[in-house]
Amino acid sequence: MNKKTVILISSVLFLFSALFVFANKETIVSSVSFPEGYRQWVHTKSMVIFDKKHPLFEPFGGIHHIYVNEKGLKANQEGGEYPDGSKLVFVLYEADETGGAYVAGKMKFVAVMEKDKKRFSDTGGWGFEVFKAGSQAGAVKDSKKECFECHSAQKSSDYVFSRYVE
Amino acid sequence: MNKKTVILISSVLFLFSALFVFANKETIVSSVSFPEGYRQWVHTKSMVIFDKKHPLFEPFGGIHHIYVNEKGLKANQEGGEYPDGSKLVFVLYEADETGGAYVAGKMKFVAVMEKDKKRFSDTGGWGFEVFKAGSQAGAVKDSKKECFECHSAQKSSDYVFSRYVE
C-alpha cells in the first residue's frame, strides 16, 4: 500500500468509529426525547412543596404540575396499566411567595416518563429523562438509580406516583 | 264562543305565557352554561392563596387552576382581544397542607368567563358565571357587581387577569 491509501483507510476507519461512538452516546444519553407540546396535554394535578421539612424538598421544592398525553389519560384517571406510548410530564418551577400566595417563578426542569415495555424493560417498562430549563439534552445518567429506585415502590399503579384530580 | 273554544284558547294562552316565563328565566339565570370538558382544555397557570393577609383570601383562598379553550388560547398567550367563543375557567379547591406541601383538597367552585360581544355588551363583552362544586346551576345574581366590577380594571388585557405561564 502506498502512503495515500493508508491515510485514506485510516481516515475512513476513524470516521466510522467516531460515528459509532456518537450514535451510541445518543442512544444512552437521551433515549427519551423532549416532550414537545406537553403544555397542550391534559393537566392532571399540581403540588407546592414549600418547606424544608418535606422529605422531597431537596429534589422537588417548588410548584409542580403534571401533564399526561392522550394515550396515558385513561390509566391516570382510572388506574391500571399504561399502554406503550403513554407519556407523563412533571414540570417544576420555583414557588415565588408574594403576600400570602404562591405562584410559579423560574422554571427548574421538565421530567418525563415514557412507556415502552421493550425499550425500557429494565425499569418497569418506563423510560425516564430530565431536561433542565431551556435544555433539550437529557440530564439523567443512570435512570435505574436516579429515577426507578423511587418509582419502583409504586408498582401497584404501574410505577406512577400521581393520580388525576377531578 | 262555546265553552270548549274558551277552554282551548285559555289553555293555549297559558302554555304560551308559561313557555315565555320559562325561556326568560333560562336566559337570565344561566346565560353562561357549565363548561363541560374544561379539564381537557389547556392549563395556563395556577396559584395558591394560603394566608388571610392576601387581599383575595376571603373569596379565593385555596389552590386554583386556570384553563382556556382553543379559541381563547392565542390571546391568553400573546395578549390582544379574545374572539367570540373564547372561554376561561378558574377552578378553586381547598389548599390542604400536609408536611410542608399544599395539594388540592375539596373543590369549591368552577368560575367561567365566556366572550360574546353582543350578548354580554354590558360587561366588556364577557359573560360571567360561578358553579358551586357539584352544581350545574349558576350562582351569580348580578355579574356586573359580583364579577365585572373587579375585572373592569383589566381593560388593557381584555378584562382577563391571568396570563399564560410558559
Side-chain angles (χ1 to χ4, degrees):
Chain A
M1 284 194 284
N2 63 18
K3 212 175 164 185
K4 260 194 176 169
T5 318
V6 171
I7 288 173
L8 184 70
I9 291 175
S10 306
S11 300
V12 169
L13 283 174
F14 171 76
L15 279 172
F16 263 98
S17 50
L19 254 174
F20 180 78
V21 168
F22 183 73
N24 228 24
K25 201 184 162 202
E26 275 292 292
T27 313
I28 295 162
V29 176
S30 62
S31 49
V32 175
S33 56
F34 188 83
E36 297 296 345
Y38 73 84
R39 280 296 302 277
Q40 323 290 318
W41 299 355
V42 172
H43 167 240
T44 63
K45 65 162 286 183
S46 297
M47 190 174 180
V48 184
I49 300 177
F50 64 89
D51 197 292
K52 279 178 200 162
K53 71 182 174 191
H54 194 284
L56 296 174
F57 182 79
E58 179 49 33
F60 304 131
I63 177 164
H64 74 248
H65 305 307
I66 312 278
Y67 301 93
V68 65
N69 72 350
E70 222 184 308
K71 280 201 178 156
L73 181 59
K74 201 180 167 223
N76 197 255
Q77 287 176 322
E78 298 171 16
E81 205 187 313
Y82 286 76
D84 276 3
S86 296
K87 288 180 190 179
L88 288 150
V89 158
F90 169 108
V91 55
L92 182 66
Y93 300 84
E94 282 170 13
D96 287 355
E97 199 202 319
T98 41
Y102 286 113
V103 292
K106 224 174 124 187
M107 189 193 285
K108 290 175 145 187
F109 63 75
V110 172
V112 196
M113 285 177 74
E114 180 181 344
K115 188 76 184 276
D116 189 319
K117 275 190 278 190
K118 275 185 193 164
R119 279 164 67 211
F120 309 116
S121 57
D122 279 359
T123 45
W126 287 99
F128 297 85
E129 196 49 277
V130 173
F131 301 91
K132 287 181 184 161
S135 170
Q136 302 260 327
V140 170
K141 280 169 190 157
D142 183 344
S143 65
K144 214 164 184 173
K145 270 192 191 161
E146 293 169 58
C147 312
F148 192 61
E149 219 164 66
C150 248
H151 280 267
S152 63
Q154 300 297 314
K155 201 182 172 185
S156 64
S157 56
D158 200 6
Y159 308 107
V160 173
F161 277 91
S162 67
R163 274 294 282 277
Y164 190 87
V165 172
E166 289 293 342
Chain B
M1 285 194 284
N2 63 19
K3 213 174 162 187
K4 261 192 176 171
T5 317
V6 171
I7 289 173
L8 186 70
I9 292 175
S10 309
S11 301
V12 168
L13 283 174
F14 171 76
L15 279 172
F16 264 96
S17 48
L19 253 174
F20 180 78
V21 168
F22 182 73
N24 228 24
K25 201 184 163 201
E26 275 292 293
T27 314
I28 296 162
V29 174
S30 62
S31 48
V32 175
S33 56
F34 187 84
E36 297 295 346
Y38 72 85
R39 281 297 301 278
Q40 323 290 318
W41 299 354
V42 172
H43 167 239
T44 62
K45 64 162 287 184
S46 297
M47 189 175 182
V48 183
I49 301 177
F50 64 89
D51 198 292
K52 279 177 201 164
K53 72 182 174 192
H54 194 284
L56 296 173
F57 182 79
E58 179 49 32
F60 303 132
I63 177 164
H64 72 248
H65 305 306
I66 313 278
Y67 301 94
V68 65
N69 72 352
E70 222 184 307
K71 280 200 176 155
L73 182 59
K74 201 179 165 223
N76 197 255
Q77 287 176 321
E78 298 171 16
E81 206 188 311
Y82 286 76
D84 277 1
S86 296
K87 288 180 191 179
L88 289 150
V89 158
F90 169 109
V91 54
L92 182 66
Y93 300 84
E94 283 170 12
D96 288 354
E97 198 203 319
T98 41
Y102 286 113
V103 292
K106 224 173 123 187
M107 190 193 284
K108 290 175 146 185
F109 63 76
V110 172
V112 197
M113 286 177 73
E114 180 180 344
K115 188 77 184 277
D116 189 320
K117 274 189 278 190
K118 275 185 192 163
R119 278 164 68 210
F120 309 116
S121 56
D122 279 359
T123 45
W126 288 98
F128 297 85
E129 195 49 279
V130 173
F131 301 92
K132 288 183 181 159
S135 171
Q136 301 262 326
V140 170
K141 282 169 188 155
D142 183 343
S143 65
K144 214 164 184 172
K145 270 192 190 161
E146 294 168 56
C147 312
F148 191 61
E149 219 164 68
C150 250
H151 279 267
S152 63
Q154 301 297 315
K155 201 181 172 184
S156 64
S157 54
D158 200 5
Y159 307 108
V160 173
F161 278 91
S162 68
R163 273 296 281 278
Y164 189 88
V165 172
E166 288 293 341

